[in-house]
Amino acid sequence: MLHPRVEGNTALFDDVPGLTALVVYLRPSLRGQLLPVLADLGIFVAEAVGEARAANWTSGRVHSDLVIVVGDDEEAHLRFVSQLASRVSAALIAVTPNQACIDSYLRAGAQACVTDDDTSPSLAAAIRPVAQFARRLKDRALQDGRTESVRVFHDLDFMLAPPELSCDSRSVALSGTERDVLLALVESLGSPVSSEALEARLTRPGTTATRGYLKTVILRIRRKVEAVGGDSGILGAVRGYGYVLRG
């Protein structure tokens, strides 16, 4: 669980310039603590109020590097976070009213959680590693875009930045985790990749990817392959070892 507590005024603000954050308010919340921390980290903020308005931002793909969802323990809020985590490549942080909600949001797919009661140093300590991770993802995507932004397999176009699968006129956005796993499989096209290697691709700051989570990501990739008209059978399981994208 990534919810560190920093005592006193000891947090150092390591700038993570060039990032953008979409802050989605699903409930009323004071913004006085959160926004100055993001500013100190060098993160530009856009805001959306309510799930309906946020859906306009996320119907296709999120153009922000971070999504920060301010929610409570309502099932609809958790479902919204789960849907975001499954379809966007941006890093995801949840702001909860208290610590009792944290585990639910982490299970829903948030990479870090903070609460309304956290002080600025505590907020920075939780947000900074996720922002640094988002910065690395952005740098890697830019590098991929300068070299080879599209990989082709089985008549499917796999775009790295922004991540998506397409075939003919159909396309579907990929989440960051889906892109990372699919890229590992494409790079070893025809050869099995171990579950351990794929889980390493899924590991986010302060978390450990589980075998069950990997299976969920593989299932989502198969569904998206089918959604653009591909054969999901090209992504096979190798019993006792891992997975293979058949050449």
Side-chain angles (χ1 to χ4, degrees):
M1 182 177 72
L2 205 166
H3 179 68
R5 289 281 179 178
V6 179
E7 297 299 330
N9 218 359
T10 59
L12 297 176
F13 293 95
D14 297 330
D15 288 347
V16 193
L19 295 183
T20 58
L22 171 63
V23 183
V24 179
Y25 293 93
L26 301 181
R27 63 176 174 86
S29 176
L30 295 176
R31 295 177 285 180
Q33 292 279 69
L34 177 64
L35 298 188
V37 167
L38 295 173
D40 285 336
L41 291 172
I43 299 171
F44 176 80
V45 175
E47 295 181 294
V49 178
E51 184 174 350
R53 185 175 177 188
N56 293 331
W57 290 72
T58 60
S59 57
R61 63 177 66 91
V62 171
H63 296 284
S64 296
D65 306 298
L66 295 164
V67 179
I68 301 174
V69 178
V70 182
D72 55 29
D73 58 356
E74 289 188 21
E75 185 62 34
H77 294 182
L78 291 168
R79 185 166 57 250
F80 179 73
V81 168
S82 180
Q83 290 170 347
L84 280 181
S86 70
R87 71 175 186 255
V88 305
S89 57
L92 182 59
I93 298 171
V95 181
T96 69
N98 51 59
Q99 292 203 24
C101 302
I102 287 176
D103 285 344
S104 295
Y105 275 94
L106 291 176
R107 287 194 297 270
Q111 292 164 23
C113 290
V114 295
T115 74
D116 289 345
D117 297 329
D118 282 331
T119 62
S120 293
S122 296
L123 290 172
I127 293 172
R128 185 189 299 112
V130 181
Q132 291 171 336
F133 174 76
R135 175 77 264 178
R136 291 194 296 273
L137 283 183
K138 186 170 186 175
D139 290 343
R140 188 171 69 190
L142 290 173
Q143 182 61 40
D144 288 337
R146 286 192 293 268
T147 54
E148 186 180 359
S149 61
V150 179
R151 313 292 171 91
V152 180
F153 63 96
H154 297 279
D155 296 325
L156 299 175
D157 291 338
F158 170 32
M159 183 174 289
L160 301 177
E164 68 176 23
L165 274 178
S166 63
C167 182
D168 296 329
S169 60
R170 286 180 285 186
S171 64
V172 61
L174 298 170
S175 70
T177 53
E178 291 162 359
R179 178 208 42 212
D180 291 348
V181 169
L182 188 53
L183 181 57
L185 293 167
V186 169
E187 289 172 343
S188 300
L189 188 64
S191 300
V193 181
S194 70
S195 294
E196 289 76 10
L198 295 175
E199 287 163 7
R201 295 276 187 133
L202 297 176
T203 302
R204 298 304 188 240
T207 68
T208 301
T210 64
R211 203 59 58 89
Y213 182 49
L214 174 59
K215 289 181 179 179
T216 299
V217 174
I218 293 292
L219 177 60
R220 293 203 305 250
I221 294 173
R222 285 173 174 156
R223 287 174 176 169
K224 291 185 177 183
V225 168
E226 291 179 345
V228 297
D231 177 10
S232 62
I234 62 177
L235 207 174
V238 180
R239 187 172 182 180
Y241 184 74
Y243 296 89
V244 60
L245 187 61
R246 299 185 174 94

